Amino acid sequence: MKLLVTGGAGFIGSNFIHYWLRKYPKDKIVNLDALTYAGNLENLKDVESNPNYKFVKGDICDKDLVNELVKDVDVIVNFAAESHVDRSILDAENFVRTNVLGTYTLLEAAKNNGNKRFHHISTDEVFGHLGPNDPAFNELTPYEPRSPYSASKAASDHLVRAYFHTFGLPVTISNCSNNYGPFMFPEKIIPLFITNLMEGKKVPVYGDGMNVRDWLFVEDHCQAIDLILQKGKIGETYCIGGNSEKPNIEITKKIIELMGKSEDMIEYVKDRLGHDRRYAIDFSKIKNELGWEPQVSFEEGLKKTVEWYKNNESWWKNIKTGDYKEYYKKQYGK
Ligand code: NAD
Ligand code: TYD
């Protein structure tokens, strides 16, 4: 099988490429990534000389490039996106462009090149947010996005579904809860807090720290995508979750404990605008139909993640200082 993976230089995409080449060494992967601030070829250093892996620097909104690449593959897995809620609050333009126009451009290319198999990576945030006693989101929950990020992802999901109903494009969608693990950009809560503590900085907890997220170790997400690609029913959506709902303050204290630091490092700061209160996922469909469930407990995954950031200090230090942009230029001439 030959896959076009978009956004493969980001957090989940790079973990997926490692996962796939390990599990299916005969398959070929083309990674199309624009290398925005979140894309980092360092994430893929150990596969860059693999003859079954090819990197193409480019934009998913580039119609001609996308069309050329799609011609030559069997499957498209779309990870490319602007992914950080706080950035979407500051400026949503790139979110609309990449997440909506970019997904549309990929769908058009898939349709115009023999209806290629298309899997779209989405988020639980499209469903809005929950009160403390509301039932968890599932595949039938109405869409009610509340941030520019989640609204742009919701729009992309609608387009993907529309291409199934209108053109018979063989699509699937997965809506996953918060991921964590190696190669996660240190602007999201878990890697930001781990690296801040390593730098002796405080950890900024938004609002009262009682916002709840459901957490999934990234490797488990990759496994779920694999199963959907192999056995998922065309036209369907699958909700993926970690069975691990935690308020932010609990995670913060757990990280502090694992790193042997003091809770004095916690700093409560101004809340995020429109801050979604709680996400939770009911993943019975993928469990019952495809036999997937998370393998890594939050405790185990968080320990592994803390270890990874401790062992890969230069990776995140380069990012936090911006040096890695210079490194690209030297290393890859781009
Ligand atoms: P990320 O921000 O780490 O990576 C995004 C990647 O997309 C980067 O490599 C970036 O360079 C690339 N990209 C951005 N714009 C592009 C464009 N126009 N053309 C080509 N490449 C472009 O994101 P992530 O956390 O790895 O998320 C991947 C996907 O998973 C996203 O679609 C996101 O919505 C979804 N998702 C993320 C989470 C999470 O917790 N991180 C949870 C559920 C779903
Ligand atoms: P984040 O990692 O940005 O993911 P998302 O907003 O997509 O869920 O944030 C996770 C939670 O952590 C969210 O409730 C906001 C909160 N948060 C903080 O309290 N402090 C921070 O510095 C960040 C980045 C997030």
Side-chain angles (χ1 to χ4, degrees), residues 77-275:
V77 188
N78 182 29
F79 292 91
E82 286 294 336
S83 69
H84 192 46
V85 174
D86 291 327
R87 285 179 189 258
S88 80
I89 295 169
L90 290 172
D91 183 357
E93 187 171 336
N94 279 337
F95 288 74
V96 176
R97 187 179 169 279
T98 290
N99 301 0
V100 187
L101 185 62
T103 302
Y104 157 77
T105 307
L106 290 166
L107 287 166
E108 271 293 293
K111 166 171 82 73
N112 294 335
N113 287 285
N115 263 7
K116 294 278 163 78
R117 176 81 172 85
F118 191 98
H119 181 69
H120 183 61
I121 310 296
S122 192
T123 166
D124 59 356
E125 303 189 25
V126 298
F127 300 120
H129 72 161
L130 300 166
N133 301 315
D134 289 337
F137 302 133
N138 66 28
E139 292 76 6
L140 301 175
T141 306
Y143 275 38
E144 209 179 329
R146 294 165 23 101
S147 74
Y149 163 64
S150 54
S152 66
K153 291 296 291 185
S156 66
D157 291 10
H158 289 316
L159 278 170
V160 174
R161 225 166 266 133
Y163 271 66
F164 166 70
H165 291 295
T166 311
F167 305 112
L169 195 72
V171 308
T172 41
I173 300 176
S174 48
N175 294 91
C176 188
S177 60
N178 286 57
N179 284 216
Y180 67 102
F183 301 116
M184 188 171 202
F185 198 85
E187 65 183 351
K188 309 265 170 46
I189 188 169
I190 290 182
L192 179 74
F193 285 12
I194 295 172
T195 56
N196 269 15
L197 290 169
M198 287 178 73
E199 292 176 304
K201 292 184 191 156
K202 295 209 167 195
V203 294
V205 173
Y206 297 166
D208 62 3
M210 290 307 292
N211 297 67
V212 172
R213 298 291 183 265
D214 171 56
W215 292 94
L216 181 71
F217 192 62
V218 63
E219 185 87 8
D220 278 330
H221 188 184
C222 295
Q223 249 166 37
I225 299 165
D226 181 2
L227 268 178
I228 297 169
L229 284 171
Q230 312 286 352
K231 298 200 238 158
K233 198 165 158 217
I234 297 304
E236 298 275 313
T237 285
Y238 295 89
C239 281
I240 305 171
N243 211 6
S244 185
E245 276 187 61
K246 313 254 175 241
N248 294 334
I249 191 64
E250 189 182 322
I251 289 175
T252 308
K253 289 184 176 167
K254 190 86 206 147
I255 294 173
I256 286 176
E257 185 194 316
L258 281 173
M259 309 226 9
K261 303 282 180 182
S262 147
E263 289 185 10
D264 294 346
M265 298 308 273
I266 297 173
E267 182 175 31
Y268 286 93
V269 298
K270 206 170 105 205
D271 209 356
R272 172 185 279 173
L273 294 178
H275 196 173

